[in-house]
């Protein structure tokens, strides 16, 4: 598969993940009045479940069957690194710079997406 096709597919699934996260954050923060940190954690866990399935079978498909448990472990590590970078940005923006919580969640998506793609491309599904 061409790398441009892979990046396009990642962007499509990333957009779907962003919608999952946005709706989750909106419902939890806006409707249920739940703390922005718990809302963020919940949204990312939901989106990552969705993301793993699409990444394994559509973004980074392999002709030979890969070890799903190994991939899930590496995917979780990649998620942890990407999420950690995003979460630090979120806290820095909200707590350090008094940024709007919704805007900080949105900006964090870009940091998360970049780290997540690179980690999964070079580690999980290589």
């Amino acid at each position: 598969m061409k790398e441009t096709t892979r990046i396009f597919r990642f962007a499509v699934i990333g957009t779907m993940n962003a919608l999952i996260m946005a709706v989750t954050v909106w419902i939890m923060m806006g409707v249920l009045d739940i703390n922005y940190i718990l809302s963020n954690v919940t949204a990312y866990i939901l989106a990552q479940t969705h993301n793993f399935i699409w990444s394994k079978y559509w973004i980074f498909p392999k002709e030979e069957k890969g070890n799903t448990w190994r991939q899930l472990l590496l995917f979780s590590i990649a998620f942890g690194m990407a999420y950690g970078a995003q979460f630090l940005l979120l806290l820095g923006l909200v707590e350090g710079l008094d940024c709007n919580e919704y805007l900080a969640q949105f900006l964090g998506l870009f940091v998360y997406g970049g780290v997540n793609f690179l980690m999964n491309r070079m580690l999980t599904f290589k």
Side-chain angles (χ1 to χ4, degrees):
M1 172 186 316
K2 289 183 176 180
E3 196 65 13
T4 54
T5 301
R6 188 177 320 278
I7 291 170
F8 173 76
R9 288 180 176 190
F10 182 82
V12 168
I13 298 307
T15 301
M16 291 171 65
N17 287 341
L19 290 173
I20 290 169
M21 290 185 295
V23 168
T24 302
V25 165
W26 175 75
I27 289 171
M28 291 183 74
M29 286 174 54
V31 176
L32 302 174
D33 197 30
I34 295 174
N35 175 282
Y36 78 95
I37 293 174
L38 181 58
S39 300
N40 181 270
V41 171
T42 303
Y44 272 87
I45 290 171
L46 289 174
Q48 281 319 290
T49 302
H50 171 265
N51 191 14
F52 178 76
I53 295 165
W54 284 101
S55 290
K56 180 172 176 59
Y57 296 107
W58 195 56
I59 299 171
F60 304 105
K62 298 281 185 188
E63 292 198 20
E64 72 278 354
K65 293 287 182 190
N67 182 334
T68 300
W69 290 111
R70 179 181 180 279
Q71 289 174 331
L72 186 58
L73 174 64
L74 293 173
F75 189 84
S76 297
I77 291 168
F79 164 71
M81 294 181 77
Y83 183 77
Q86 173 277 147
F87 193 74
L88 288 175
L89 177 70
L90 175 69
L91 288 177
L93 290 173
V94 173
E95 302 298 331
L97 299 176
D98 200 30
C99 181
N100 176 279
E101 294 171 0
Y102 290 99
L103 177 60
Q105 300 268 11
F106 175 73
L107 295 174
L109 291 172
F110 296 99
V111 170
Y112 174 84
V115 173
N116 189 39
F117 179 82
L118 291 173
M119 292 296 297
N120 282 309
R121 177 72 174 114
M122 297 187 310
L123 181 67
T124 309
F125 301 106
K126 84 173 193 175

PDB file of all heavy atoms in Angstrom, residues 90-116:
ATOM      1  N   LEU A  90      -2.831  19.127  27.377  1.00  0.00           N
ATOM      2  CA  LEU A  90      -4.136  19.499  27.922  1.00  0.00           C
ATOM      3  C   LEU A  90      -3.985  20.177  29.285  1.00  0.00           C
ATOM      4  O   LEU A  90      -4.513  21.264  29.507  1.00  0.00           O
ATOM      5  CB  LEU A  90      -5.026  18.258  28.049  1.00  0.00           C
ATOM      6  CG  LEU A  90      -6.392  18.448  28.714  1.00  0.00           C
ATOM      7  CD1 LEU A  90      -7.314  19.268  27.826  1.00  0.00           C
ATOM      8  CD2 LEU A  90      -7.012  17.101  29.033  1.00  0.00           C
ATOM      9  N   LEU A  91      -3.243  19.534  30.174  1.00  0.00           N
ATOM     10  CA  LEU A  91      -3.054  20.117  31.503  1.00  0.00           C
ATOM     11  C   LEU A  91      -2.312  21.446  31.432  1.00  0.00           C
ATOM     12  O   LEU A  91      -2.666  22.395  32.132  1.00  0.00           O
ATOM     13  CB  LEU A  91      -2.288  19.151  32.405  1.00  0.00           C
ATOM     14  CG  LEU A  91      -3.051  17.926  32.881  1.00  0.00           C
ATOM     15  CD1 LEU A  91      -2.133  17.026  33.712  1.00  0.00           C
ATOM     16  CD2 LEU A  91      -4.284  18.308  33.665  1.00  0.00           C
ATOM     17  N   GLY A  92      -1.283  21.503  30.598  1.00  0.00           N
ATOM     18  CA  GLY A  92      -0.523  22.747  30.459  1.00  0.00           C
ATOM     19  C   GLY A  92      -1.375  23.890  29.945  1.00  0.00           C
ATOM     20  O   GLY A  92      -1.288  25.022  30.444  1.00  0.00           O
ATOM     21  N   LEU A  93      -2.211  23.591  28.963  1.00  0.00           N
ATOM     22  CA  LEU A  93      -3.073  24.633  28.403  1.00  0.00           C
ATOM     23  C   LEU A  93      -4.142  25.080  29.398  1.00  0.00           C
ATOM     24  O   LEU A  93      -4.359  26.279  29.588  1.00  0.00           O
ATOM     25  CB  LEU A  93      -3.728  24.142  27.109  1.00  0.00           C
ATOM     26  CG  LEU A  93      -2.816  23.979  25.902  1.00  0.00           C
ATOM     27  CD1 LEU A  93      -3.568  23.320  24.742  1.00  0.00           C
ATOM     28  CD2 LEU A  93      -2.229  25.312  25.469  1.00  0.00           C
ATOM     29  N   VAL A  94      -4.823  24.118  30.034  1.00  0.00           N
ATOM     30  CA  VAL A  94      -5.928  24.459  30.933  1.00  0.00           C
ATOM     31  C   VAL A  94      -5.420  25.028  32.255  1.00  0.00           C
ATOM     32  O   VAL A  94      -5.858  26.095  32.691  1.00  0.00           O
ATOM     33  CB  VAL A  94      -6.833  23.225  31.187  1.00  0.00           C
ATOM     34  CG1 VAL A  94      -7.888  23.536  32.249  1.00  0.00           C
ATOM     35  CG2 VAL A  94      -7.511  22.796  29.893  1.00  0.00           C
ATOM     36  N   GLU A  95      -4.506  24.312  32.874  1.00  0.00           N
ATOM     37  CA  GLU A  95      -4.051  24.722  34.208  1.00  0.00           C
ATOM     38  C   GLU A  95      -2.992  25.815  34.156  1.00  0.00           C
ATOM     39  O   GLU A  95      -2.975  26.702  34.992  1.00  0.00           O
ATOM     40  CB  GLU A  95      -3.494  23.510  34.977  1.00  0.00           C
ATOM     41  CG  GLU A  95      -4.480  22.363  35.144  1.00  0.00           C
ATOM     42  CD  GLU A  95      -5.716  22.716  35.936  1.00  0.00           C
ATOM     43  OE1 GLU A  95      -5.640  23.609  36.814  1.00  0.00           O
ATOM     44  OE2 GLU A  95      -6.781  22.107  35.685  1.00  0.00           O
ATOM     45  N   GLY A  96      -2.099  25.748  33.167  1.00  0.00           N
ATOM     46  CA  GLY A  96      -1.007  26.712  33.099  1.00  0.00           C
ATOM     47  C   GLY A  96      -1.341  27.988  32.362  1.00  0.00           C
ATOM     48  O   GLY A  96      -0.916  29.076  32.750  1.00  0.00           O
ATOM     49  N   LEU A  97      -2.100  27.856  31.274  1.00  0.00           N
ATOM     50  CA  LEU A  97      -2.389  29.027  30.440  1.00  0.00           C
ATOM     51  C   LEU A  97      -3.851  29.463  30.497  1.00  0.00           C
ATOM     52  O   LEU A  97      -4.264  30.343  29.755  1.00  0.00           O
ATOM     53  CB  LEU A  97      -1.990  28.736  28.987  1.00  0.00           C
ATOM     54  CG  LEU A  97      -0.509  28.421  28.765  1.00  0.00           C
ATOM     55  CD1 LEU A  97      -0.266  28.052  27.300  1.00  0.00           C
ATOM     56  CD2 LEU A  97       0.357  29.599  29.173  1.00  0.00           C
ATOM     57  N   ASP A  98      -4.634  28.796  31.344  1.00  0.00           N
ATOM     58  CA  ASP A  98      -6.055  29.123  31.509  1.00  0.00           C
ATOM     59  C   ASP A  98      -6.814  29.085  30.181  1.00  0.00           C
ATOM     60  O   ASP A  98      -7.682  29.915  29.914  1.00  0.00           O
ATOM     61  CB  ASP A  98      -6.212  30.481  32.196  1.00  0.00           C
ATOM     62  CG  ASP A  98      -7.593  30.638  32.817  1.00  0.00           C
ATOM     63  OD1 ASP A  98      -8.182  29.618  33.225  1.00  0.00           O
ATOM     64  OD2 ASP A  98      -8.081  31.782  32.875  1.00  0.00           O
ATOM     65  N   CYS A  99      -6.467  28.113  29.349  1.00  0.00           N
ATOM     66  CA  CYS A  99      -7.120  27.933  28.045  1.00  0.00           C
ATOM     67  C   CYS A  99      -8.493  27.298  28.255  1.00  0.00           C
ATOM     68  O   CYS A  99      -8.708  26.542  29.203  1.00  0.00           O
ATOM     69  CB  CYS A  99      -6.234  27.023  27.180  1.00  0.00           C
ATOM     70  SG  CYS A  99      -6.859  26.705  25.524  1.00  0.00           S
ATOM     71  N   ASN A 100      -9.409  27.578  27.381  1.00  0.00           N
ATOM     72  CA  ASN A 100     -10.731  26.966  27.390  1.00  0.00           C
ATOM     73  C   ASN A 100     -10.577  25.444  27.324  1.00  0.00           C
ATOM     74  O   ASN A 100      -9.810  24.925  26.513  1.00  0.00           O
ATOM     75  CB  ASN A 100     -11.540  27.480  26.197  1.00  0.00           C
ATOM     76  CG  ASN A 100     -12.882  26.811  26.088  1.00  0.00           C
ATOM     77  OD1 ASN A 100     -12.998  25.712  25.575  1.00  0.00           O
ATOM     78  ND2 ASN A 100     -13.901  27.499  26.558  1.00  0.00           N
ATOM     79  N   GLU A 101     -11.300  24.715  28.166  1.00  0.00           N
ATOM     80  CA  GLU A 101     -11.165  23.259  28.242  1.00  0.00           C
ATOM     81  C   GLU A 101     -11.520  22.569  26.928  1.00  0.00           C
ATOM     82  O   GLU A 101     -10.891  21.584  26.546  1.00  0.00           O
ATOM     83  CB  GLU A 101     -12.028  22.713  29.376  1.00  0.00           C
ATOM     84  CG  GLU A 101     -11.538  23.160  30.740  1.00  0.00           C
ATOM     85  CD  GLU A 101     -12.496  22.824  31.862  1.00  0.00           C
ATOM     86  OE1 GLU A 101     -13.572  22.230  31.609  1.00  0.00           O
ATOM     87  OE2 GLU A 101     -12.171  23.155  33.015  1.00  0.00           O
ATOM     88  N   TYR A 102     -12.512  23.055  26.216  1.00  0.00           N
ATOM     89  CA  TYR A 102     -12.898  22.454  24.939  1.00  0.00           C
ATOM     90  C   TYR A 102     -11.833  22.703  23.871  1.00  0.00           C
ATOM     91  O   TYR A 102     -11.499  21.815  23.090  1.00  0.00           O
ATOM     92  CB  TYR A 102     -14.254  22.998  24.468  1.00  0.00           C
ATOM     93  CG  TYR A 102     -15.411  22.529  25.311  1.00  0.00           C
ATOM     94  CD1 TYR A 102     -15.944  23.341  26.308  1.00  0.00           C
ATOM     95  CD2 TYR A 102     -15.980  21.279  25.112  1.00  0.00           C
ATOM     96  CE1 TYR A 102     -17.008  22.919  27.085  1.00  0.00           C
ATOM     97  CE2 TYR A 102     -17.053  20.840  25.886  1.00  0.00           C
ATOM     98  CZ  TYR A 102     -17.564  21.661  26.865  1.00  0.00           C
ATOM     99  OH  TYR A 102     -18.607  21.234  27.633  1.00  0.00           O
ATOM    100  N   LEU A 103     -11.294  23.912  23.834  1.00  0.00           N
ATOM    101  CA  LEU A 103     -10.233  24.232  22.877  1.00  0.00           C
ATOM    102  C   LEU A 103      -8.988  23.399  23.162  1.00  0.00           C
ATOM    103  O   LEU A 103      -8.350  22.872  22.239  1.00  0.00           O
ATOM    104  CB  LEU A 103      -9.891  25.726  22.924  1.00  0.00           C
ATOM    105  CG  LEU A 103      -8.739  26.181  22.017  1.00  0.00           C
ATOM    106  CD1 LEU A 103      -9.051  25.888  20.546  1.00  0.00           C
ATOM    107  CD2 LEU A 103      -8.446  27.657  22.236  1.00  0.00           C
ATOM    108  N   ALA A 104      -8.640  23.244  24.417  1.00  0.00           N
ATOM    109  CA  ALA A 104      -7.471  22.441  24.791  1.00  0.00           C
ATOM    110  C   ALA A 104      -7.656  20.982  24.380  1.00  0.00           C
ATOM    111  O   ALA A 104      -6.720  20.340  23.891  1.00  0.00           O
ATOM    112  CB  ALA A 104      -7.227  22.547  26.297  1.00  0.00           C
ATOM    113  N   GLN A 105      -8.873  20.449  24.540  1.00  0.00           N
ATOM    114  CA  GLN A 105      -9.166  19.073  24.100  1.00  0.00           C
ATOM    115  C   GLN A 105      -8.945  18.965  22.592  1.00  0.00           C
ATOM    116  O   GLN A 105      -8.346  18.007  22.100  1.00  0.00           O
ATOM    117  CB  GLN A 105     -10.622  18.696  24.420  1.00  0.00           C
ATOM    118  CG  GLN A 105     -10.977  18.758  25.871  1.00  0.00           C
ATOM    119  CD  GLN A 105     -10.805  17.447  26.609  1.00  0.00           C
ATOM    120  OE1 GLN A 105     -10.230  16.502  26.115  1.00  0.00           O
ATOM    121  NE2 GLN A 105     -11.289  17.408  27.833  1.00  0.00           N
ATOM    122  N   PHE A 106      -9.421  19.952  21.847  1.00  0.00           N
ATOM    123  CA  PHE A 106      -9.289  19.955  20.388  1.00  0.00           C
ATOM    124  C   PHE A 106      -7.823  20.027  19.963  1.00  0.00           C
ATOM    125  O   PHE A 106      -7.373  19.264  19.110  1.00  0.00           O
ATOM    126  CB  PHE A 106     -10.074  21.130  19.794  1.00  0.00           C
ATOM    127  CG  PHE A 106      -9.905  21.277  18.311  1.00  0.00           C
ATOM    128  CD1 PHE A 106     -10.507  20.390  17.442  1.00  0.00           C
ATOM    129  CD2 PHE A 106      -9.129  22.303  17.787  1.00  0.00           C
ATOM    130  CE1 PHE A 106     -10.345  20.514  16.066  1.00  0.00           C
ATOM    131  CE2 PHE A 106      -8.952  22.438  16.427  1.00  0.00           C
ATOM    132  CZ  PHE A 106      -9.562  21.542  15.560  1.00  0.00           C
ATOM    133  N   LEU A 107      -7.057  20.913  20.548  1.00  0.00           N
ATOM    134  CA  LEU A 107      -5.644  21.062  20.193  1.00  0.00           C
ATOM    135  C   LEU A 107      -4.844  19.805  20.515  1.00  0.00           C
ATOM    136  O   LEU A 107      -3.925  19.432  19.784  1.00  0.00           O
ATOM    137  CB  LEU A 107      -5.042  22.284  20.898  1.00  0.00           C
ATOM    138  CG  LEU A 107      -5.615  23.636  20.473  1.00  0.00           C
ATOM    139  CD1 LEU A 107      -5.044  24.748  21.339  1.00  0.00           C
ATOM    140  CD2 LEU A 107      -5.364  23.893  18.996  1.00  0.00           C
ATOM    141  N   GLY A 108      -5.226  19.131  21.582  1.00  0.00           N
ATOM    142  CA  GLY A 108      -4.561  17.897  21.959  1.00  0.00           C
ATOM    143  C   GLY A 108      -4.696  16.799  20.929  1.00  0.00           C
ATOM    144  O   GLY A 108      -3.842  15.917  20.816  1.00  0.00           O
ATOM    145  N   LEU A 109      -5.772  16.840  20.136  1.00  0.00           N
ATOM    146  CA  LEU A 109      -5.972  15.833  19.090  1.00  0.00           C
ATOM    147  C   LEU A 109      -4.819  15.806  18.093  1.00  0.00           C
ATOM    148  O   LEU A 109      -4.434  14.743  17.602  1.00  0.00           O
ATOM    149  CB  LEU A 109      -7.280  16.101  18.329  1.00  0.00           C
ATOM    150  CG  LEU A 109      -8.579  15.880  19.070  1.00  0.00           C
ATOM    151  CD1 LEU A 109      -9.755  16.370  18.228  1.00  0.00           C
ATOM    152  CD2 LEU A 109      -8.752  14.421  19.426  1.00  0.00           C
ATOM    153  N   PHE A 110      -4.251  16.955  17.789  1.00  0.00           N
ATOM    154  CA  PHE A 110      -3.184  17.024  16.793  1.00  0.00           C
ATOM    155  C   PHE A 110      -1.883  16.414  17.314  1.00  0.00           C
ATOM    156  O   PHE A 110      -1.191  15.701  16.589  1.00  0.00           O
ATOM    157  CB  PHE A 110      -2.981  18.466  16.325  1.00  0.00           C
ATOM    158  CG  PHE A 110      -4.186  19.007  15.624  1.00  0.00           C
ATOM    159  CD1 PHE A 110      -5.090  19.824  16.300  1.00  0.00           C
ATOM    160  CD2 PHE A 110      -4.444  18.671  14.307  1.00  0.00           C
ATOM    161  CE1 PHE A 110      -6.218  20.309  15.660  1.00  0.00           C
ATOM    162  CE2 PHE A 110      -5.569  19.153  13.661  1.00  0.00           C
ATOM    163  CZ  PHE A 110      -6.467  19.968  14.334  1.00  0.00           C
ATOM    164  N   VAL A 111      -1.578  16.693  18.556  1.00  0.00           N
ATOM    165  CA  VAL A 111      -0.382  16.096  19.175  1.00  0.00           C
ATOM    166  C   VAL A 111      -0.578  14.587  19.264  1.00  0.00           C
ATOM    167  O   VAL A 111       0.295  13.802  18.886  1.00  0.00           O
ATOM    168  CB  VAL A 111      -0.127  16.700  20.574  1.00  0.00           C
ATOM    169  CG1 VAL A 111       0.951  15.928  21.316  1.00  0.00           C
ATOM    170  CG2 VAL A 111       0.234  18.166  20.451  1.00  0.00           C
ATOM    171  N   TYR A 112      -1.733  14.193  19.740  1.00  0.00           N
ATOM    172  CA  TYR A 112      -2.046  12.769  19.867  1.00  0.00           C
ATOM    173  C   TYR A 112      -1.954  12.060  18.514  1.00  0.00           C
ATOM    174  O   TYR A 112      -1.323  11.004  18.401  1.00  0.00           O
ATOM    175  CB  TYR A 112      -3.449  12.598  20.461  1.00  0.00           C
ATOM    176  CG  TYR A 112      -3.860  11.164  20.480  1.00  0.00           C
ATOM    177  CD1 TYR A 112      -3.473  10.334  21.519  1.00  0.00           C
ATOM    178  CD2 TYR A 112      -4.585  10.620  19.436  1.00  0.00           C
ATOM    179  CE1 TYR A 112      -3.808   9.005  21.520  1.00  0.00           C
ATOM    180  CE2 TYR A 112      -4.920   9.291  19.431  1.00  0.00           C
ATOM    181  CZ  TYR A 112      -4.532   8.486  20.465  1.00  0.00           C
ATOM    182  OH  TYR A 112      -4.854   7.160  20.448  1.00  0.00           O
ATOM    183  N   GLY A 113      -2.573  12.629  17.500  1.00  0.00           N
ATOM    184  CA  GLY A 113      -2.593  11.988  16.179  1.00  0.00           C
ATOM    185  C   GLY A 113      -1.215  11.788  15.594  1.00  0.00           C
ATOM    186  O   GLY A 113      -0.908  10.726  15.046  1.00  0.00           O
ATOM    187  N   GLY A 114      -0.365  12.789  15.699  1.00  0.00           N
ATOM    188  CA  GLY A 114       0.984  12.677  15.153  1.00  0.00           C
ATOM    189  C   GLY A 114       1.804  11.608  15.854  1.00  0.00           C
ATOM    190  O   GLY A 114       2.426  10.755  15.205  1.00  0.00           O
ATOM    191  N   VAL A 115       1.801  11.611  17.171  1.00  0.00           N
ATOM    192  CA  VAL A 115       2.562  10.615  17.926  1.00  0.00           C
ATOM    193  C   VAL A 115       1.986   9.221  17.697  1.00  0.00           C
ATOM    194  O   VAL A 115       2.720   8.248  17.483  1.00  0.00           O
ATOM    195  CB  VAL A 115       2.587  10.959  19.438  1.00  0.00           C
ATOM    196  CG1 VAL A 115       3.230   9.847  20.254  1.00  0.00           C
ATOM    197  CG2 VAL A 115       3.300  12.282  19.672  1.00  0.00           C
ATOM    198  N   ASN A 116       0.671   9.107  17.686  1.00  0.00           N
ATOM    199  CA  ASN A 116       0.009   7.818  17.508  1.00  0.00           C
ATOM    200  C   ASN A 116       0.338   7.201  16.144  1.00  0.00           C
ATOM    201  O   ASN A 116       0.660   6.014  16.057  1.00  0.00           O
ATOM    202  CB  ASN A 116      -1.503   7.977  17.673  1.00  0.00           C
ATOM    203  CG  ASN A 116      -2.217   6.648  17.721  1.00  0.00           C
ATOM    204  OD1 ASN A 116      -1.750   5.695  18.311  1.00  0.00           O
ATOM    205  ND2 ASN A 116      -3.374   6.596  17.099  1.00  0.00           N
TER     206      ASN A 116
END
